[in-house]
């Protein structure tokens, strides 16, 4: 199996697919400027200590909630305002989701990476609009997609003239309310683009908590270590100062106070695994 050798550019100083581990992390939703800054400041400090490149993550809109009554976020204008302030104050790149093609250009004025949600990974117009911004496009593998079929999502982005694309693994549907991670998907997708492992959504139980999604965060360390050993280019982790009070995806999140030990563990295994991946 031939591994893709090219690097994907995030900023002038950060690339995915090189010799440094990249972390995409933050709260699921941009609940408030204060929560984003508390989370981002701590994670940035940890990443500097561990020599990990950091991209702050939060969503301005959670458009794919299980229930119409679930928290969706601040919306485009207010959410981007929060992300813009965080980017300026923390001096870190930003990744956030887009759900509609008409959002791409406006979001790209703030974000360095446009994330395509798993449910939308086959939406051609959305992929093309994201690609045409020139920003890095981070495509999550759909829970219904074979890993080899993600090649075509990569082809859509590159066909629009944007070489900066990566794929993200977040588990595949395994019966109702359950996901399973097939570790073979990581090297399979790595043939087409750099690969990020989504630790927190891989332990999600979609719609499994009576109108909201549940999660089994106790399994996050096991899946994270496995992916690090198999070989990935980065990790996606949602974290929060108090996950039990988070407005979205709390059951999946790694608590902020556990992030330093969690990331040190991942990097140690990643470094060991990297010595075996050619």
């Amino acid at each position: 199996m031939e591994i893709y050798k090219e690097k994907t550019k995030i900023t002038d100083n950060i690339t995915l697919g090189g010799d440094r581990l990249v972390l995409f992390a933050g709260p699921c939703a941009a609940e408030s400027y204060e929560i984003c800054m508390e989370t981002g400041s701590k994670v940035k400090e940890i990443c500097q200590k561990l020599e990990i490149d950091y991209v702050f993550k939060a969503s301005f809109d959670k458009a794919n909630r299980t229930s119409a009554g679930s928290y969706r976020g601040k919306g485009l204008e207010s959410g981007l305002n929060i992300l813009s302030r965080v980017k300026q104050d923390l001096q870190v790149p930003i990744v956030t989701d887009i759900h509609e093609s008409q959002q791409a250009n406006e979001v790209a004025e703030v974000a360095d990476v446009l994330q395509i949600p798993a449910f939308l990974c086959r939406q051609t117009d959305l992929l093309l609009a994201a690609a045409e911004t020139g920003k890095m496009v981070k495509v999550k593998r759909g829970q219904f997609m074979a890993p080899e079929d993600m090649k075509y999502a990569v082809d859509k982005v590159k066909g629009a003239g944007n070489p900066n694309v990566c794929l993200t693994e977040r588990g595949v549907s395994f019966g109702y309310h359950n996901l399973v991670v097939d570790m073979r998907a990581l090297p399979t997708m790595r043939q087409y683009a750099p690969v990020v492992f989504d630790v927190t959504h891989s332990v999600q139980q979609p719609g499994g908590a009576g109108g909201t999604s549940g999660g089994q965060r106790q399994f996050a360390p096991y899946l994270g270590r496995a992916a690090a050993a198999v070989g990935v280019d980065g990790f996606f982790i949602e974290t929060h100062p108090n996950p039990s009070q988070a407005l979205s995806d709390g059951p999946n999140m790694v608590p902020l106070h556990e992030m330093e030990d969690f990331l040190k563990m991942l990097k140690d295994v990643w470094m060991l695994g990297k010595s075996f991946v050619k």
Side-chain angles (χ1 to χ4, degrees):
M1 184 176 294
E2 186 174 347
I3 299 300
Y4 183 78
K5 300 296 185 182
E6 299 298 323
K7 298 177 182 178
T8 294
K9 181 178 178 180
I10 298 175
T11 68
D12 289 339
N13 300 318
I14 300 178
T15 59
L16 189 65
D19 294 329
R20 283 177 65 94
L21 185 61
V22 178
L23 174 68
F24 303 84
C28 178
E31 301 175 15
S32 68
Y33 170 77
E34 291 75 19
I35 288 291
C36 288
M37 283 299 295
E38 180 180 356
T39 305
S41 296
K42 181 62 177 177
V43 176
K44 179 182 178 180
E45 175 188 325
I46 295 167
C47 286
Q48 288 176 332
K49 180 178 180 180
L50 298 179
E51 297 184 337
I52 296 171
D53 288 331
Y54 178 44
V55 180
F56 177 84
K57 182 271 167 184
S59 298
F60 61 84
D61 181 19
K62 304 301 298 182
N64 54 357
R65 298 296 82 187
T66 303
S67 166
S70 297
Y71 179 77
R72 283 190 56 165
K74 294 291 187 181
L76 185 63
E77 183 176 351
S78 296
L80 287 182
N81 179 261
I82 290 173
L83 294 178
S84 180
R85 292 172 63 194
V86 170
K87 179 177 182 175
Q88 179 177 343
D89 293 347
L90 286 183
Q91 291 295 295
V92 295
I94 298 290
V95 58
T96 195
D97 310 90
I98 60 171
H99 295 87
E100 300 174 1
S101 56
Q102 60 264 34
Q103 294 175 337
N105 287 331
E106 187 171 356
V107 175
E109 293 179 6
V110 173
D112 302 272
V113 181
L114 302 185
Q115 181 167 273
I116 307 299
F119 290 127
L120 302 177
C121 68
R122 287 180 53 159
Q123 295 297 102
T124 301
D125 290 345
L126 184 61
L127 289 166
L128 295 182
E132 289 166 0
T133 67
K135 297 300 181 75
M136 176 178 158
V137 183
K138 181 176 178 291
V139 188
K140 287 195 171 187
R141 175 164 83 102
Q143 300 90 327
F144 47 88
M145 292 286 287
E148 58 269 23
D149 290 341
M150 293 305 294
K151 173 185 184 298
Y152 304 107
V154 172
D155 288 346
K156 289 175 183 179
V157 175
K158 290 186 174 180
N162 188 341
N164 295 311
V165 57
C166 72
L167 296 173
T168 299
E169 171 61 29
R170 53 84 33 91
V172 63
S173 294
F174 189 71
Y176 301 122
H177 302 157
N178 198 22
L179 299 171
V180 66
V181 178
D182 180 357
M183 291 295 164
R184 297 174 299 178
L186 301 176
T188 297
M189 294 194 298
R190 194 61 179 78
Q191 297 175 97
Y192 319 125
V195 171
V196 174
F197 182 66
D198 182 344
V199 174
T200 41
H201 289 98
S202 292
V203 298
Q204 186 185 59
Q205 293 177 306
T212 62
S213 290
Q216 297 176 308
R217 74 164 63 94
Q218 68 269 27
F219 292 113
Y222 301 99
L223 292 182
R225 285 199 299 267
V230 170
V232 292
D233 302 289
F235 289 93
F236 178 99
I237 303 174
E238 291 184 341
T239 181
H240 193 281
N242 190 344
S244 65
Q245 294 183 6
L247 300 180
S248 178
D249 275 357
N252 316 326
M253 291 186 181
V254 176
L256 185 59
H257 72 271
E258 296 179 9
M259 280 291 283
E260 182 166 354
D261 288 342
F262 194 92
L263 290 174
K264 185 178 186 307
M265 171 196 70
L266 288 185
K267 187 173 180 186
D268 286 347
V269 178
W270 181 78
M271 292 295 292
L272 180 62
K274 196 169 179 62
S275 67
F276 291 98
V277 178
K278 305 299 181 184

